[in-house]
Each structure stands twice: as C-alpha cells, then as structure tokens.
C-alpha cells in the first residue's frame, strides 16, 4: 500500500491497526527539500515480494521499535541524513519517513537486497565466474530467463569484486572477447560491456558442462596464482536447464578443499534433470535454486548473498563498510527541478551519497552454524558532509579537496560530472571515475599510488585543467597534500595553488563590531548558498535565513547559549563578520557614485579626507565623452564585491532596466568563475567576460551583460574580488566612439564595412563584436583558419591546450593596516579603469598599418547541418585556447589563406593585447571571405582500434584489497543448500544495537 493513498470509496487502506491513517509530510531543507516525517519511518516492499506474506508482516511489526532509535540518533546528531534497515525478506525501513514513488508502470522495483550497501556489508569481496548454458535446449523463454539471471548477478557485483562470463555448449566462449582468460574488475564500464553482449547469445548444439566447469576452475586458479583479483571468496555460478552427472571427478581434481563455492540455477519448470544440479551445489558449499519465470529471477539470485555471509555471521563480526558514491535514491524517487539538481551536483554535492553500513545477524548459539543474516543497517553520508572537512574559505582560491577509494575511484572531486546531455541525464558510470582520469598530469600515477596505499605525504606538479565546465582551460602549479581517513577505505587529498593560493588573512575583529557591520546595511548582503554557518533543526531552518543565523550566533555568545553555539561554525562566522566590516565602506561609495555626489569614505579609523566624484576628473575630451556614456542609467547595471568568507555586497542601479541574476548564479564567491579567474589573472588586471553560448539558440540581443572583475590583494593573499556588470551595448558604444575619434594618416574605424573588429578574451571567446550574434561564441567557430594562425608557434598569441575527457558522452548522429582601507582603491578604480583602458584602443589602432596588409576576397556560403543525437560513453579530446597576459606574445600581424577553398583570396589580420586586462583587440579584413573551417577545433571522439580497446578494458590499475575477508568457517553447516528449509528469525534487539553502532562509527569519523 502507499501512504496517504485512497481507495474507490474515498477511504484509506488499512491492513491492520498498525498501518494506514494520514501520514504527515513536511519539506525539510536538510533532506534536499523533500517532504519527510521526522517522527516516523516508512516501510517499502518491492513488487517482487508479497507484502502480506506472514514473515514479512511479522518482521515489519518487530522492527517498528527502530523508530525510537532512529529518532534518538537524529536528535543527538542532526548532521545525520537517511537511516535505514534492509531486511533479508526484502522490505526496507527508512527514516525519516517519505512517500515512496513507483515507476511509470506502477511497479516498485527497488529491492534493498540488490543494492551495493547491502551486498557489501553482507559479503566479503569475491571472484566470480558465471557459466551460461547456450545449448539448443535453452531456446526461447529459457534463454531469456538465463540472460536476465546473468544480468541480475552482474548487478550484485561491486568494485571490490572480479568476474567474467563464459557461455558453453559443446565448446566454451567468453561472452566478451576482450576479457579472454582473465577476470576483470566489476566496475560500471566492465559490467556494462558484458551486459551489452548478452543479446549475442544464440543457443545451439549440446551442453558440455564438464568442459565449462574445468574452464572456470582453471581461470580462478590462474587468477589467484597471480595474486590478482578479490583475494577472498571464490564462486562459480552455473546457469543451465539440467544435468545428468554431478562431475565428481572434476570437483575432486580442482576443489577437494571446497575453497570454491558452486551456485546452481536451473532454468525452467521441468525438474527431471535438476537433482544432479542440486547435488553439485550442496557438495561444494553453495546453493541450488530453480527459476521458472523471469519474475522469479531477482528473488532467487539474491540467495547466494546470504550463503557468502555465513562465515562472517558465525564469526560474529560487525565489519563496518563504506560504499562508493551514488545518487541519493530519495532524490531519484522525488524528482526536483533539473536546474536545481545540476546545482546540487556540480557545486554542492547534496545529491551524492556514500553509505556506512553493518550486517545484522542472529546471535543465538543453537542456530550459529547456519549463519543467519537478518539484514543490513545503513546510514547515508552526503558528500557535502565530507566536504565540510575542507571548507572553501580555508583552502583559498582555486584550492580544492578530493577523496579516493581503495580502488582509486573518486568519492568526490570538483571535476566529477555525473550529468550529460540536454536533459541532464545521469551517467551510468558516474560512480567509477578514476583519479587518473581527472588529475591528468599525474602521468606516472605517483599521486594515485600514494593515495591508494593510504600514505601521508605531499608533492608538487605542473598541471593542465579545464575550467567553466569544459569551456576554458589553463595551466598552473599545484601542491598536493594527502593522507588516509581513519576507519574508512578513503584517502583525502587537498590541493593548494602555488603562489596566490598559499596565503589567507586571519580575521582579527570582535564579534560585536562585526555584527554591527553586518546589520547596518543588510539589504545588499548575500551569504554563500550552501556554506553551513549554523546547522539547525528542520523547524529553525525553515524560518531563519543564513544572515539571521549568524546574528543569532553572536547573540548566543553574549548570553552563553551553548546549545545554539555548538550548532555553528565559529571560524566561518568570524570570517564573514570580518568581511562585512571590511566592505562596509563600499556602500557609501556606491551611494555617492550613483547620486553623483561627493562623499567622505569611512574606514575603520573613522572619517577620512579621501573623496571621489565621478564628474570632476581631470580628463581630455575622450574621457569626458566616456563620462557621459557611463553615467547612471546608461549601461551600468550592478556593482558587487565577493569576499573570501562567502559574503557578497551588491548595488543594483535602479535607473537600469536590465535584469540580472548575478547574485543568484554566483552566490558562492571564491568558487565562482568571476572570482577564480580574476585571481588567476592577477593583481592590477581586469577580467572581462560574457556568458558563453554554444549555439544560435543561446544568442540574445545586445542586452547581454559584461562582467568586469578585479582581485583585491593584501600582501600575498587574495581577500576579495570587486566588479561591475554592464550591457554590451555600452561597451560597443564606447569602443566605436574611441575608434572613430582616431585622426591622422592610416587611421581606420571599426565602423567601416571592409574591416571586422573583435574583442577576444584570454580563452578566445568574443566579448565584443559588430555582430551581436558573435558575442559569447568561441572565435574558432567564427574563423577557424585565423584561430589556427593565432595559436601557431613561435609567435603564438594563444597557446593550445589539449585535454582528454574520460567522462565524455559522445553524440552519435543517426543519419595588515586598516581593515577596510585596502579595499577602497580597487572599488574606486573599477569605473575609472573602465574609462582609462579605452585610450589604448586609440593607440592600438594608430599603430595598425591597414594598407600594408589589405586584400580583397569573395563571399563565403553558410553551411547548414541538421542531426538527431543519442549518447554513449567515450573519450573525447578537447582543444582549448589560453593567453596569459604579459607572458605570451602581445601583438601579431599576419596573412592567412585557405588551401583548397573555392575562393583563393588571402585574408589579413592584426591583433594586439589590451594592457592590464584579459582582452585582445583583433581586426580582420572583411573583404576576403572563404570557408573558415569552423569545425577544426571542435571536440572529437578519441578512436581506438580493437587491440587498443581491449588493452584499455583489461588494464587493472593499482588498488588495495579491503582489510577483512570472511570466506570460510569450520562451523559452517552446508546442508542448507536449497532444500526448502527456510528459518525466519527476527531479533529487534540485535538490529537496534547494529543501528546504534553504525551511527556511533559515523560520529567518531566526523570528530576526526
């Protein structure tokens, strides 16, 4: 039944007194704004389990007592998220309670016993060989059931497991040719590869089971001899429709000590030849089951898990396990706006989880030899909680943290990109991204090996990395620091940028003084959206903004309210209050500027004689012309400052009619592009940027906003970034006015029809053009031939950076001093500098000798392409352009031609760096037009031949095995091997203890 569901008589379903009735649900920000009930849990039963079966109902009732434990845990530690118990019978008790969703067919296919957290807690790692009968008797429905059984078995495997699939009739054949004579790690890519080949199975001939068994034993022996693979459980899964022999000679030769378990699955309703198959399983410490229909597959496959769990249960070992990263199931079941989900994934890590889990088993001595597993308890840990160990404000600009598993896979990293395509779909292999696939400069795996081995150390590397979601790239020097996370299989890495990333300013301000600065002009303030200043309960969180929480914290320190104080982050709050005090003086400057009034600017030391007035600058005619242009209401939309502590002050020009979403889209300051790129550009330079567009549909009119920002440095530390937003129409007007004012021989104006002028940023994107449709586009898509010449050595203006994206989805076409004063100069100079640098356009244009490189040409015809797309995982090579002002060639004049083009004219151009900015002025001959080869720098799929493809699939990078292994116990009773005996214990005290221990383990980890 579904909670809050109604039958046709408008009455609630009620199975008995313990179920039914209204279930109160309230949206809670701590649970991603999903509607939950923090007083009770809910129980989910999958479609393949009969929800009125006696043992299921009995155990559901017994486990109701867990609600008290769940609630006590949450009250004691409100950083906890989902707590749950998965039963061996198939039901799933989840806290807090939530309304579970079914699929489009009304089915609920979520079976907790097939989830990674359940299987990993219940079993030790395993090497598995799956044998599939493809003889002629397996035609039709049997073949479909067999393939579904293989698929379900593969889904139960995790990254610590190794496997292969062998088909057999009168011969044996590996299902994936690239995996011949080996076992491969059960990661997402390998599992998907094998499953894709299931449709190639064609039943024929007769079955030679003996040959298949010998092949499987030899493969396991070979793999174990080489000290590869799981190094723990060994299992053969035999899928057939019957056997006439138990092949005792085979087992005597290869498995006399029973170190390999045999699990057998008889397909079909007939039982004539099943007894021999059952005998093989029972004599080799395995399990026999018969699968009659596709609907029986999932329930029967999962039985092998409880057999493998027996040694651990008999040992009474409560091993704590941690899973790989995965998408929060509640978010999957309760869809949110896709834009919100993308924000949660890319910036905040809220929707990504790892689970800490423990097995729950029957401790009664009289059934100890049976190793009865009751289920698994788990507690979800959002990646966001792990990121709190390394908050952004402590790492500095462009610093970041990441964590890897014992397999070298990423738990979190800023370059994990789990979504793809126009609909932001979830990638199938998002949770098995290897560290080597994102830290591309670690070519010798030095960093990866050290972290997988869980050592502590540091190293420095020159790295290349992409920015802005694969739209820009740069190179820089990184220092890596790494260590293990105690009591977990993870290692933590911290990256600091050499030079500016090694320094931060420690705040030295009283809370009371900081609070005054924060509340004096709160209307312009915004705090970083997902930075946790105070962790509140659900009721408090719904009524208090972040700024109100900070205010409440300061008040709590004065009243000694320890209960509230312990909910907050004192270091971060102190930083924010310090930032508020530093930036308060900017408010008066903004007011004076837009009121066009002279104003005294206040610093920490009180009034000062520093004055600023926009209209009284001593300037020449050009500057006066610009003064008139940039006055209030004529283009300036927003002024802002973002600080190291996550605080943003802003001033929206009320005379502007242009809306801006800047604050909403850039709330996390030092993690945003405008901030990180301005710091990268360096002190004394202004970063100009426009929204990047990738298609004509993204192009808007000339109301597109330009963002100009500049870093504020104190000694060696970047403490803030100041900037303005203005319309591109303003930039175009200033640019045209300046270029038209050029007088003298050889002067040309960008308004003339036979030349095209562009302002390009340091990544090769168009910031200003006479054609508004070009703004935001990569210049390489406008003129690929000139773009290639601009990046040609030795006098390259742009350097090409090649980056391979191993997470790509390829489109397949179907046919010290005053604490405030040091911030003033950059703010005052934003507008003044904006006027000042335009003088350089005049100087640049005067130096151009247009007559020396002028040629004519013919018009080129536009190219139109239409495609429909599907997506598949692939590797994709990107070509990026990067110009480092002051470090590369600053000007160039050249002539280019198009070899093989119908129009053989030559095109001339000249380019010059705009000083103290990230811009270059490019002037191009517009009279020569030819096919500009706009696709030459498009990302391209990296192709591999068959040998290369197999080598990549087989390659096993360095990994470490889990520390514990439970593969054998002498007290194990192998008689329960599928005879029908089914013991159904249910011990609520055991489960309660396990839940308590799991939460305690998590709390100990969080206090490290």
């Amino acid at each position: 039944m579904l909670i809050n569901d109604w039958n046709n008589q408008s009455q609630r379903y009620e199975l008995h007194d313990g179920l039914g009735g209204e279930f109160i649900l309230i949206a809670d920000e701590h649970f991603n704004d999903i509607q939950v009930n923090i007083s009770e849990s809910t129980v989910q039963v999958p479609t393949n389990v009969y929800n009125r079966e006696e043992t299921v109902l009995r155990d559901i009732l017994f486990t109701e007592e867990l609600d008290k434990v769940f609630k006590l845990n949450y009250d004691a530690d409100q950083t906890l998220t989902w707590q749950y118990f998965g039963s061996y019978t198939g039901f799933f008790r989840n806290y807090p309670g939530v309304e579970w969703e079914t699929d489009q067919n009304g089915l609920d296919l979520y079976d907790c016993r097939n989830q990674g957290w359940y299987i990993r807690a219940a079993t030790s790692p395993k090497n598995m060989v799956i044998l599939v009968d493809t003889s002629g008797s397996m035609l039709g429905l049997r073949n479909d059931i067999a393939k579904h059984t293989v698929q379900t078995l593969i889904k139960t495997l995790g990254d610590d497991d190794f496997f292969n699939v062998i088909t057999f009739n009168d011969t044996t054949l590996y299902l994936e040719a690239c995996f011949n004579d080996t076992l491969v790690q059960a990661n997402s890519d390998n599992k998907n590869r094998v499953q894709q080949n299931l449709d190639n199975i064609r039943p024929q001939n007769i079955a030679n089971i003996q040959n298949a068994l010998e092949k499987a034993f030899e493969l396991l022996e070979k793999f174990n001899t080489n000290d590869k693979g799981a190094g723990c459980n060994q299992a053969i899964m035999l899928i057939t429709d019957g056997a006439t022999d138990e092949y005792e000679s085979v087992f005597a030769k290869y498995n006399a000590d029973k170190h390999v378990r045999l699990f057998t699955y008889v397909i079909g309703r007939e039982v004539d030849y099943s007894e021999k198959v059952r005998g093989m399983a029972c004599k080799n410490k395995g399990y026999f089951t018969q699968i009659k229909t596709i609907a029986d597959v999932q329930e029967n496959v999962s039985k092998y898990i409880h057999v493998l769990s027996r040694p651990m249960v008999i040992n009474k070992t409560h091993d704590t396990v941690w899973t790989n990263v995965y998408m929060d199931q509640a978010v999957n079941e309760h869809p949110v706006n896709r834009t919100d989900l993308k924000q949660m994934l890319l910036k905040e890590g809220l929707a990504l989880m790892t689970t800490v889990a423990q097995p729950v088993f029957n401790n009664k001595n009289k059934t100890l030899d049976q190793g009865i597993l009751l289920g698994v308890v788990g507690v979800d840990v959002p990646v966001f909680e792990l990121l709190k160990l390394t908050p952004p404000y402590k790492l500095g600009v462009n610093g970041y943290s990441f964590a890897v598993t014992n397999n070298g896979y990423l738990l979190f990293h800023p370059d994990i990109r789990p979504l793809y395509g126009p609909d932001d779909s979830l990638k199938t292999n998002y949770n098995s991204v290897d560290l080597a696939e994102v830290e591309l400069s670690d070519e010798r795996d030095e960093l990866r090996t050290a972290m997988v081995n869980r050592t502590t150390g540091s190293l420095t590397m020159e790295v290349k990395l992409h920015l802005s979601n694969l739209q820009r790239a740069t190179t820089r020097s990184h220092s890596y620091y790494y260590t293990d996370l105690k009591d977990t299989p993870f290692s933590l890495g911290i990256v600091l940028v050499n030079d500016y990333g090694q320094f931060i300013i420690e705040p030295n301000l009283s809370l009371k003084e900081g609070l005054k600065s924060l509340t004096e002009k709160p209307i312009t303030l915004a705090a970083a959206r997902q930075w946790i200043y105070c962790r509140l309960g659900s009721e408090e969180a719904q009524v208090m903004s972040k700024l109100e929480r900070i205010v409440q914290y300061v008040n709590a320190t004065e009243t000694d309210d320890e209960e509230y104080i312990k909910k907050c982050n004192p270091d971060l709050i102190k930083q924010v209050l310090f930032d508020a005090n530093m930036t308060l003086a900017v408010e008066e400057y903004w007011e004076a500027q837009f009121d066009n009034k002279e104003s005294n600017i206040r610093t920490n030391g009180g009034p000062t004689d520093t004055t600023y007035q926009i209209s009284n600058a001593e300037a020449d005619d050009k500057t006066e012309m610009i003064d008139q242009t940039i006055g209030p209401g004529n283009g300036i939309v927003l002024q802002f400052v973002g600080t190291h502590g996550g605080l943003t002050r802003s001033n929206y020009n009320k005379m502007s009619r242009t809306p801006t979403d800047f604050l909403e889209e850039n709330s996390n300051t030092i993690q945003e592009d405008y901030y990180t790129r301005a710091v990268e550009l360096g002190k004394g330079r202004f970063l100009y940027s426009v929204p990047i567009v990738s298609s004509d549909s993204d192009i808007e009119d000339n109301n597109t906003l330009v963002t100009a920002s500049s870093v504020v440095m104190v000694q060696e530390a970047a403490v803030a970034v100041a900037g303005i937003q203005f319309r591109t129409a303003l930039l175009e007007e200033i640019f045209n006015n300046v270029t038209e004012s050029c007088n003298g021989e050889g002067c040309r104006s960008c308004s003339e029809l036979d030349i095209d002028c562009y302002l390009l940023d340091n990544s090769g994107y168009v910031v200003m053009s006479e054609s508004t449709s070009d703004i935001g586009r990569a210049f390489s898509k406008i003129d690929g031939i000139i773009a290639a010449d601009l990046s040609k050595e030795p006098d390259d203006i742009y350097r090409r950076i090649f980056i391979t994206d191993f997470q790509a989805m390829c489109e397949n076409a179907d046919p010290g001093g005053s604490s405030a004063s040091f911030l003033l100069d950059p703010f005052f100079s934003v507008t003044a500098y904006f006027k000042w640098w335009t003088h350089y356009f005049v100087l640049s244009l005067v130096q151009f000798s247009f007559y020396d490189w002028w040629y004519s040409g013919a018009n080129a015809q536009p190219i139109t392409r239409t495609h429909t797309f599907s997506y598949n995982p692939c590797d994709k090579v990107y070509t990026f352009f990067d110009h480092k002002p002051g470090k590369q060639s600053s000007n160039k004049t050249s002539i280019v031609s198009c070899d093989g083009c119908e129009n053989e004219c030559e095109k001339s151009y000249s380019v010059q760096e705009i000083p103290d900015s990230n811009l270059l002025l490019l002037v191009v001959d517009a009279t020569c037009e030819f096919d500009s080869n706009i696709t030459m720098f498009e990302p391209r799929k990296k192709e591999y031949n068959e040998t290369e493809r197999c080598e990549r699939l087989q390659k096993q990078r360095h990994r470490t095995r889990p520390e514990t292994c439970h593969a054998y116990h002498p007290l194990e009773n192998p008689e329960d091997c599928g005879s029908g005996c089914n013991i159904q214990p249910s011990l609520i005290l055991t489960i309660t203890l396990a839940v308590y221990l799991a939460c305690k383990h998590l709390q100990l980890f969080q206090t490290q």
Side-chain angles (χ1 to χ4, degrees):
M1 82 174 204
L2 300 176
I3 63 171
N4 299 337
D5 203 7
W6 300 81
N7 62 16
N8 293 331
Q9 287 74 41
S10 298
Q11 297 177 347
R12 298 198 181 279
Y13 290 108
E14 296 190 10
L15 301 182
H16 52 76
D17 292 341
L19 296 174
E22 185 176 6
F23 195 77
I24 305 300
L25 296 169
I26 300 175
D28 193 320
E29 73 168 8
H30 183 56
F31 296 93
N32 298 331
D33 290 324
I34 293 172
Q35 292 192 330
V36 298
N37 185 315
I38 60 173
S39 299
E40 299 179 84
S41 64
T42 47
V43 173
Q44 174 264 347
V45 183
T47 301
N48 58 290
V49 175
Y50 181 47
N51 62 3
R52 301 195 188 200
E53 202 272 328
E54 182 179 353
T55 56
V56 173
L57 289 176
R58 184 191 66 196
D59 287 356
I60 289 175
L61 286 174
F62 283 153
T63 57
E64 280 185 350
E65 292 297 315
L66 285 177
D67 280 6
K68 298 177 182 178
V69 180
F70 290 147
K71 196 168 187 313
L72 284 172
N73 288 336
Y74 185 62
D75 290 342
D77 181 5
Q78 295 197 355
T79 66
L80 292 177
T81 54
W82 308 105
Q83 304 173 63
Y84 41 82
F85 168 70
S87 170
Y88 77 103
T89 61
F91 77 82
F92 177 70
R93 182 176 288 279
N94 183 73
Y95 175 89
V98 66
E99 184 174 1
W100 205 266
E101 301 284 340
T102 57
D103 67 14
Q104 58 186 3
N105 298 315
L107 302 177
D108 187 348
L109 302 180
Y110 180 85
D111 191 329
C112 63
R113 297 168 297 178
N114 292 334
Q115 304 308 307
W117 55 268
Y118 187 101
I119 298 169
R120 193 161 183 174
T123 67
S124 294
K126 47 198 169 291
N127 291 336
M128 178 185 291
V129 179
I130 303 173
L131 300 176
V132 189
D133 187 346
T134 58
S135 64
S137 62
M138 294 288 289
L139 284 168
L141 180 60
R142 289 183 180 180
N143 185 41
D144 292 336
I145 296 173
K147 290 192 292 185
H148 191 51
T149 302
V150 174
Q151 191 175 45
T152 305
L153 278 169
I154 291 175
K155 288 181 178 179
T156 66
L157 303 177
D159 293 333
D160 289 325
D161 303 321
F162 287 74
F163 81 110
N164 208 335
V165 179
I166 300 174
T167 63
F168 68 92
N169 40 48
D170 56 349
T171 60
T172 59
L173 186 69
Y174 287 93
L175 189 59
E176 168 54 57
C178 285
F179 298 161
N180 284 355
D181 297 320
T182 189
L183 297 180
V184 295
Q185 189 175 15
N187 57 38
S188 298
D189 289 335
N190 290 337
K191 291 194 291 186
N192 290 338
R193 184 73 192 177
V194 171
Q195 290 180 94
Q196 288 170 6
N197 290 334
L198 286 173
D199 289 337
N200 298 331
I201 291 179
R202 298 290 183 269
Q204 57 184 342
N205 302 327
I206 61 174
N208 188 335
I209 296 179
Q210 179 173 336
N211 191 23
L213 288 171
E214 290 175 346
K215 187 80 168 180
F217 277 116
E218 289 170 0
L219 177 59
L220 287 172
E221 184 177 348
K222 173 185 174 182
F223 209 66
N224 290 329
T225 302
N226 293 334
D227 196 29
K228 295 181 179 179
C232 193
N233 285 301
Q234 313 289 313
I236 297 174
M237 326 300 280
L238 175 62
I239 302 171
T240 183
D241 60 350
T244 58
D245 194 350
E246 291 187 7
Y247 306 102
E248 293 180 356
S249 61
V250 175
F251 295 111
K253 178 180 179 180
Y254 293 100
N255 203 37
D257 60 356
K258 314 300 182 191
H259 69 285
V260 178
R261 297 179 187 267
L262 179 69
F263 297 88
T264 56
Y265 302 87
V266 168
I267 307 300
R269 297 182 181 276
E270 295 79 6
V271 295
D272 294 345
Y273 299 100
S274 63
E275 191 58 33
K276 299 291 185 182
V277 180
R278 180 184 178 278
M280 285 189 280
C282 292
K283 293 177 181 179
N284 289 276
K285 300 176 71 173
Y287 200 89
F288 160 81
T289 187
Q290 185 171 8
I291 304 177
K292 300 178 180 179
T293 68
I294 289 181
D296 296 334
V297 171
Q298 186 163 302
E299 184 70 19
N300 285 287
V301 163
S302 65
K303 292 180 180 178
Y304 92 86
I305 297 170
H306 300 102
V307 175
L308 293 185
S309 72
R310 289 173 182 170
M312 177 181 60
V313 174
I314 297 172
N315 278 327
K316 299 183 178 181
T317 304
H318 285 280
D319 286 341
T320 300
V321 300
W322 294 74
T323 69
N324 270 13
V325 68
Y326 63 92
M327 177 70 76
D328 183 3
Q329 180 67 23
V331 173
N332 275 338
E333 298 294 338
H334 298 77
V336 295
N337 178 278
R338 300 306 293 181
T339 302
D340 292 342
L341 176 59
K342 191 170 186 178
Q343 179 82 356
M344 290 160 63
L345 287 170
L346 298 183
K347 289 189 177 180
E348 300 151 12
L350 289 176
L352 295 177
M353 297 280 184
T354 180
T355 293
V356 55
Q358 287 187 344
V360 182
F361 37 77
N362 189 343
N363 280 321
K364 289 184 177 179
N365 289 329
K366 65 179 182 180
T367 59
L368 186 62
D369 63 340
Q370 298 175 37
I372 301 172
L373 180 74
L374 301 180
V376 172
V377 294
V379 180
D380 279 353
V381 182
V383 166
F384 182 72
E385 291 296 330
L386 300 178
L387 287 170
K388 286 169 58 180
L389 298 173
T390 54
Y393 73 96
K394 287 191 175 182
L395 296 180
V397 185
N398 286 321
Y400 59 90
S401 62
F402 61 95
V404 299
T405 69
N406 59 297
N407 290 295
Y409 295 147
L410 293 171
L411 183 67
F412 60 85
H413 189 284
D415 195 26
I416 288 184
R417 286 169 279 115
L419 306 179
Y420 75 94
D423 297 327
D424 288 329
S425 302
L426 190 66
K427 297 176 183 176
T428 57
N429 59 348
Y430 72 95
N431 58 355
S432 59
V433 179
D434 197 278
L435 177 63
E437 296 175 340
V438 294
E439 295 293 342
L440 302 177
S441 299
D442 186 27
E443 296 178 351
R444 296 182 298 176
D445 281 354
E446 183 179 358
L447 173 66
R448 186 187 183 281
T449 300
M451 294 190 68
V452 168
N453 288 341
R454 300 171 59 75
T455 60
T456 299
S458 64
L459 58 86
T460 298
M461 286 192 296
E462 297 296 321
V463 302
K464 60 180 181 179
L465 65 162
H466 71 86
L467 310 170
S468 308
N469 195 25
L470 279 167
Q471 293 174 321
R472 307 178 188 271
T474 191
T475 57
R476 63 169 76 116
S477 178
H478 280 178
S479 289
Y480 292 82
Y481 305 89
Y482 48 86
T483 191
D484 67 306
L485 291 175
K486 188 178 179 181
D487 297 327
T488 79
F490 309 138
S491 287
L492 176 69
I494 294 175
V495 178
L496 300 181
V497 180
N498 291 327
D499 192 16
Y500 62 80
Q502 300 287 331
F503 304 93
I504 59 174
I505 296 295
E506 291 290 341
N508 54 354
L509 187 73
S510 69
L511 295 179
K512 190 172 183 180
E513 186 178 0
L515 181 61
K516 181 180 179 181
S517 302
L518 187 71
T519 57
E520 186 167 328
K521 293 184 180 294
I523 193 69
T524 71
L525 289 171
R529 181 185 296 112
Q530 289 303 328
W531 293 17
I532 303 300
Y533 299 90
C534 293
R535 172 73 75 179
L536 305 184
S538 58
E539 295 181 2
E540 290 176 300
Q542 290 177 11
V543 298
M544 294 181 69
S545 69
K546 291 190 179 297
L547 295 180
E548 288 172 335
R549 299 176 196 188
I550 296 171
V551 172
Q552 181 63 26
Y553 169 80
V554 177
N555 293 335
T557 60
E558 295 180 351
T559 60
D560 295 325
D561 184 353
E562 293 296 332
E563 184 176 350
Y564 188 88
I565 292 174
K566 68 181 181 180
K567 298 178 182 179
C568 301
N569 184 334
D571 291 338
L572 180 54
I573 291 178
K574 191 173 183 179
Q575 180 71 59
V576 169
L577 295 176
F578 179 71
D579 291 353
N581 182 262
M582 286 193 307
T583 57
L584 183 60
V586 179
E587 298 279 356
E588 291 189 17
Y589 163 69
W590 285 337
E591 291 175 0
Q593 183 187 32
F594 279 90
D595 288 340
N596 199 27
K597 296 178 181 178
E598 190 171 303
S599 173
N600 288 332
I601 305 301
R602 176 163 42 86
T603 68
N604 272 0
T608 176
D609 59 0
T610 303
T611 61
Y612 187 88
Q613 185 176 9
I614 260 186
S615 62
N616 69 352
E618 296 180 1
D620 57 18
D621 292 340
K622 297 185 183 64
T623 307
E624 291 177 359
M625 172 190 68
I626 297 168
D627 279 335
Q628 296 171 5
T629 306
I630 67 170
N634 286 337
I636 300 291
V637 176
L638 183 75
Q639 296 170 300
F640 62 87
V641 56
T643 72
H644 183 82
L647 192 73
T648 303
R649 286 192 188 270
S650 63
N651 181 56
Y652 180 73
N653 181 7
K654 298 177 182 179
M655 299 180 67
S656 172
R657 297 180 181 179
T658 305
T660 175
D661 296 324
F662 178 84
L663 294 180
E664 179 66 24
E665 296 174 353
N666 298 276
S667 66
N668 292 328
T669 60
I670 67 171
Q671 296 172 282
E672 307 292 352
D673 266 12
Y674 84 86
Y675 199 113
T676 59
R677 292 180 58 221
V679 175
E680 184 90 7
L681 190 61
K683 181 180 180 181
R685 299 179 183 272
F686 272 71
L687 177 83
Y688 294 86
S689 62
V690 294
I692 294 175
V693 296
S694 56
S695 64
D696 290 341
S697 60
D698 296 327
I699 296 170
E700 300 179 0
D701 57 27
N702 61 353
N703 281 328
T704 300
L705 295 179
V706 180
T707 301
S709 56
S710 181
V711 63
V712 178
M713 303 287 292
V714 176
Q715 299 176 358
E716 301 296 326
V719 296
V721 168
I724 59 174
Q725 276 197 318
F726 54 92
R727 293 187 295 110
T728 53
L730 171 60
L731 180 59
E732 181 180 359
E733 184 176 353
I734 295 173
F735 181 77
N736 289 336
N737 287 341
V738 172
T739 58
E740 288 174 3
S741 68
C742 175
N743 298 311
E745 185 178 355
C747 276
R748 300 295 302 273
S749 169
C750 284
S751 62
E752 296 180 29
L753 298 178
D754 54 356
I755 62 173
D756 291 329
C757 296
Y758 302 90
L759 282 181
L760 307 182
D761 71 8
N762 57 312
S763 299
Y765 289 97
V766 178
V767 176
M768 198 284 294
S769 170
E770 298 159 75
S771 173
T772 57
S773 62
D774 290 339
I775 296 175
R777 296 176 63 192
F779 184 73
S780 60
K781 295 183 179 181
I782 299 172
D783 195 320
I785 293 177
I786 290 183
D789 200 64
L790 286 170
S791 56
K792 184 189 299 183
E793 295 181 346
D795 55 346
D796 54 331
I797 297 294
Y798 288 100
R799 177 180 46 169
R800 298 186 201 180
I801 299 177
F802 301 96
I803 290 181
T804 301
D805 178 18
F806 295 100
Q807 302 177 62
M809 300 293 288
C810 287
E811 300 169 339
N812 296 325
D814 302 318
S818 168
S819 62
S821 60
F822 64 78
L823 279 180
L824 297 181
D825 288 345
F827 280 100
F828 296 158
S829 65
V830 169
T831 305
Y833 180 80
F834 177 62
K835 294 182 287 186
W836 172 76
W837 68 256
T838 57
H839 288 289
Y840 281 86
F841 285 126
V842 180
L843 297 177
S844 299
L845 289 172
V846 168
Q847 293 174 11
F848 289 160
S849 179
F850 289 87
Y851 296 107
D852 291 343
W853 49 273
W854 210 254
Y855 294 91
S856 61
N859 293 330
Q861 297 298 318
I863 299 174
T864 303
R865 296 180 175 88
T866 57
H867 297 285
T868 56
F869 297 105
S870 59
Y871 295 86
N872 286 313
C874 67
D875 297 341
K876 189 179 290 187
V877 179
Y878 284 79
T879 303
F880 298 98
F881 295 88
D882 184 43
H883 174 78
K884 293 192 180 299
K887 297 181 181 180
Q888 289 173 248
S889 299
S890 60
N891 61 81
K892 181 178 182 178
T893 299
S894 183
I895 300 172
V896 296
S897 60
C898 180
D899 296 335
C901 291
E902 182 177 347
N903 184 0
E904 297 183 356
C905 68
E906 293 180 315
K907 182 183 294 189
S908 48
Y909 73 86
S910 188
V911 63
Q912 181 155 336
E913 185 180 289
I914 305 300
D916 300 321
S917 76
N918 68 322
L919 298 178
L920 296 108
L921 172 64
L922 174 65
V923 183
V924 179
D925 173 9
T927 63
C928 174
E929 298 184 9
F930 44 62
D931 185 350
S932 59
N933 194 12
I934 61 175
T935 63
M936 66 185 300
F937 295 111
E938 288 289 319
R940 58 178 176 84
K941 180 180 179 181
K942 190 170 185 177
E943 301 291 349
Y944 301 97
N945 60 37
E946 189 64 19
T947 300
E948 292 172 331
R949 184 178 68 86
C950 287
E951 288 177 350
R952 284 177 52 78
L953 288 172
Q954 290 184 14
K955 182 177 182 180
Q956 181 180 325
R957 292 186 180 272
H958 176 67
R959 60 182 295 272
T960 57
R961 293 168 174 167
E963 295 178 355
T964 59
C965 170
H966 306 283
Y968 169 80
H969 199 286
L971 296 182
E972 181 181 345
N973 178 10
E975 294 182 2
D976 180 14
C977 56
S979 62
C981 178
N982 201 6
I983 298 176
Q984 307 283 353
S986 180
L987 302 175
I988 184 60
L989 291 179
T990 304
I991 301 172
T992 300
L993 177 62
V995 175
Y996 174 78
L997 289 174
C999 289
K1000 277 297 181 185
H1001 182 91
L1002 176 60
Q1003 290 168 359
L1004 287 173
F1005 166 73
Q1006 290 175 328
T1007 59
Q1008 292 179 14

